[in-house]
Coordinates of all heavy atoms in Angstrom, one line a residue:
H291 N 85.0 -46.6 41.7 CA 84.0 -45.7 41.2 C 84.2 -45.5 39.7 O 85.3 -45.7 39.2 CB 84.3 -44.3 41.9 CG 83.4 -44.0 43.0 ND1 82.0 -44.0 42.8 CD2 83.6 -43.7 44.3 CE1 81.4 -43.7 44.0 NE2 82.4 -43.5 44.9
E292 N 83.1 -45.1 39.1 CA 83.3 -44.6 37.7 C 84.1 -43.3 37.8 O 84.2 -42.6 38.8 CB 81.9 -44.3 37.1 CG 81.1 -45.6 37.0 CD 79.7 -45.3 36.3 OE1 79.4 -44.1 36.1 OE2 79.0 -46.2 36.0
R293 N 84.7 -43.0 36.6 CA 85.6 -41.8 36.6 C 84.9 -40.5 37.1 O 85.5 -39.7 37.9 CB 86.1 -41.6 35.2 CG 87.1 -42.7 34.8 CD 87.7 -42.4 33.4 NE 88.7 -43.4 33.0 CZ 89.9 -43.4 33.4 NH1 90.4 -42.5 34.2 NH2 90.7 -44.4 32.9
Q294 N 83.7 -40.3 36.6 CA 82.9 -39.1 37.0 C 81.8 -39.4 38.0 O 80.7 -38.8 38.0 CB 82.4 -38.4 35.8 CG 83.5 -38.0 34.8 CD 84.5 -37.1 35.3 OE1 84.3 -36.3 36.3 NE2 85.8 -37.2 34.9
G295 N 81.9 -40.6 38.7 CA 80.8 -41.0 39.6 C 80.6 -40.1 40.8 O 81.5 -39.5 41.3
D296 N 79.4 -40.1 41.3 CA 79.0 -39.4 42.5 C 79.6 -40.2 43.7 O 79.7 -41.4 43.7 CB 77.5 -39.3 42.7 CG 76.9 -38.5 41.5 OD1 77.7 -37.5 41.0 OD2 75.7 -38.8 41.2
P297 N 79.9 -39.4 44.8 CA 80.4 -40.1 46.0 C 79.2 -41.0 46.6 O 78.1 -40.8 46.3 CB 80.8 -38.9 46.9 CG 80.0 -37.8 46.4 CD 79.8 -38.0 44.9
F298 N 79.6 -41.9 47.5 CA 78.7 -42.8 48.1 C 77.8 -41.9 49.0 O 78.3 -41.1 49.8 CB 79.3 -43.9 48.9 CG 80.0 -44.9 48.0 CD1 81.4 -45.1 48.0 CD2 79.3 -45.7 47.2 CE1 82.0 -46.0 47.3 CE2 79.9 -46.7 46.4 CZ 81.3 -46.8 46.4
S299 N 76.5 -42.2 49.0 CA 75.6 -41.6 49.9 C 75.5 -42.3 51.2 O 76.0 -43.5 51.4 CB 74.2 -41.5 49.3 OG 73.6 -42.8 49.1
A300 N 74.8 -41.8 52.3 CA 74.6 -42.4 53.5 C 73.8 -43.8 53.3 O 74.1 -44.8 54.0 CB 73.8 -41.6 54.5
A301 N 72.9 -43.8 52.4 CA 72.2 -45.0 52.1 C 73.1 -46.1 51.5 O 73.1 -47.3 51.8 CB 71.0 -44.8 51.2
D302 N 74.0 -45.6 50.6 CA 75.0 -46.5 50.0 C 75.9 -47.1 51.1 O 76.2 -48.3 51.1 CB 75.9 -45.8 49.0 CG 75.0 -45.4 47.8 OD1 74.0 -46.0 47.5 OD2 75.4 -44.3 47.2
D303 N 76.3 -46.2 52.0 CA 77.2 -46.7 53.1 C 76.5 -47.7 54.0 O 77.1 -48.7 54.4 CB 77.7 -45.5 54.0 CG 78.5 -44.5 53.2 OD1 78.9 -44.8 52.1 OD2 78.6 -43.3 53.7
R304 N 75.2 -47.5 54.3 CA 74.5 -48.4 55.1 C 74.3 -49.7 54.4 O 74.4 -50.8 55.0 CB 73.1 -47.8 55.5 CG 72.3 -48.7 56.5 CD 71.0 -48.1 56.8 NE 71.1 -46.9 57.6 CZ 71.0 -45.6 57.2 NH1 70.6 -45.4 55.9 NH2 71.1 -44.6 58.0
L305 N 74.1 -49.7 53.1 CA 73.9 -51.0 52.3 C 75.2 -51.7 52.2 O 75.2 -53.0 52.4 CB 73.4 -50.6 50.9 CG 73.3 -51.8 49.9 CD1 72.2 -52.8 50.5 CD2 72.9 -51.3 48.5
L306 N 76.3 -51.0 52.0 CA 77.6 -51.7 52.0 C 78.0 -52.3 53.3 O 78.5 -53.4 53.4 CB 78.7 -50.7 51.5 CG 78.6 -50.2 50.1 CD1 79.6 -49.1 49.8 CD2 78.9 -51.4 49.1
S307 N 77.7 -51.6 54.4 CA 77.9 -52.2 55.7 C 77.1 -53.4 56.0 O 77.5 -54.4 56.5 CB 77.6 -51.1 56.8 OG 78.5 -50.0 56.7
T308 N 75.8 -53.4 55.5 CA 74.9 -54.6 55.7 C 75.4 -55.8 54.9 O 75.5 -56.9 55.4 CB 73.5 -54.2 55.2 OG1 73.0 -53.1 56.0 CG2 72.6 -55.4 55.3
V309 N 75.9 -55.5 53.6 CA 76.4 -56.6 52.8 C 77.7 -57.2 53.5 O 77.8 -58.4 53.5 CB 76.8 -56.1 51.4 CG1 77.5 -57.1 50.6 CG2 75.5 -55.7 50.7
A310 N 78.5 -56.3 54.0 CA 79.7 -56.8 54.7 C 79.4 -57.7 55.9 O 80.0 -58.8 56.2 CB 80.7 -55.7 55.1
N311 N 78.4 -57.2 56.6 CA 77.9 -58.0 57.8 C 77.3 -59.3 57.5 O 77.6 -60.3 58.1 CB 76.9 -57.2 58.7 CG 77.5 -56.0 59.3 OD1 78.7 -56.0 59.7 ND2 76.7 -54.9 59.6
Q312 N 76.5 -59.3 56.3 CA 76.0 -60.6 55.9 C 77.0 -61.6 55.5 O 77.0 -62.8 55.7 CB 75.0 -60.4 54.8 CG 73.7 -59.6 55.2 CD 72.9 -60.5 56.1 OE1 72.8 -61.7 55.9 NE2 72.2 -59.8 57.0
L313 N 78.1 -61.1 54.8 CA 79.2 -61.9 54.4 C 79.9 -62.5 55.6 O 80.3 -63.7 55.6 CB 80.2 -61.2 53.5 CG 79.7 -60.9 52.0 CD1 80.7 -60.0 51.4 CD2 79.6 -62.2 51.2
A314 N 80.1 -61.6 56.6 CA 80.8 -62.1 57.8 C 80.0 -63.1 58.5 O 80.5 -64.1 59.0 CB 81.0 -60.9 58.7
Q315 N 78.6 -62.9 58.6 CA 77.8 -64.0 59.2 C 77.8 -65.3 58.4 O 77.9 -66.4 59.0 CB 76.4 -63.5 59.3 CG 76.2 -62.3 60.3 CD 74.8 -61.8 60.4 OE1 73.8 -62.5 60.0 NE2 74.6 -60.6 60.8
T316 N 77.9 -65.2 57.1 CA 78.0 -66.4 56.3 C 79.3 -67.2 56.6 O 79.3 -68.4 56.7 CB 77.8 -66.1 54.8 OG1 76.6 -65.5 54.6 CG2 77.9 -67.3 54.0
I317 N 80.4 -66.4 56.6 CA 81.7 -67.0 56.9 C 81.7 -67.7 58.2 O 82.2 -68.8 58.5 CB 82.8 -66.0 56.8 CG1 82.9 -65.5 55.3 CG2 84.2 -66.5 57.2 CD1 83.8 -64.3 55.1
E318 N 81.1 -67.0 59.2 CA 81.0 -67.5 60.6 C 80.2 -68.8 60.7 O 80.6 -69.8 61.3 CB 80.5 -66.5 61.5 CG 80.3 -66.9 63.0 CD 81.6 -67.1 63.7 OE1 82.7 -66.8 63.0 OE2 81.6 -67.5 64.9
R319 N 79.1 -68.8 59.9 CA 78.3 -70.1 59.9 C 79.0 -71.2 59.2 O 79.0 -72.3 59.7 CB 76.9 -69.8 59.1 CG 75.9 -69.0 59.9 CD 74.5 -69.1 59.3 NE 74.5 -68.6 58.0 CZ 74.2 -67.3 57.6 NH1 73.9 -66.4 58.6 NH2 74.2 -66.9 56.4
L320 N 79.8 -70.9 58.2 CA 80.5 -71.9 57.5 C 81.6 -72.5 58.4 O 81.9 -73.7 58.5 CB 81.2 -71.4 56.2 CG 80.2 -71.1 55.1 CD1 80.9 -70.4 53.9 CD2 79.5 -72.4 54.6

């Protein structure tokens, strides 16, 4: 986080989870 950054929102959490899932699927395909 930036020093004075806002906490992650629910939308941020959902986006981060999606990115992690996509990376996992890519690793599994490889």
Side-chain angles (χ1 to χ4, degrees):
H291 259 304
E292 295 181 355
R293 291 186 180 277
Q294 304 299 328
D296 297 328
F298 289 116
S299 66
D302 296 330
D303 297 346
R304 185 180 290 107
L305 177 60
L306 291 171
S307 296
T308 302
V309 171
N311 289 334
Q312 291 294 325
L313 286 174
Q315 292 177 20
T316 301
I317 294 172
E318 178 69 2
R319 282 196 299 270
L320 291 174

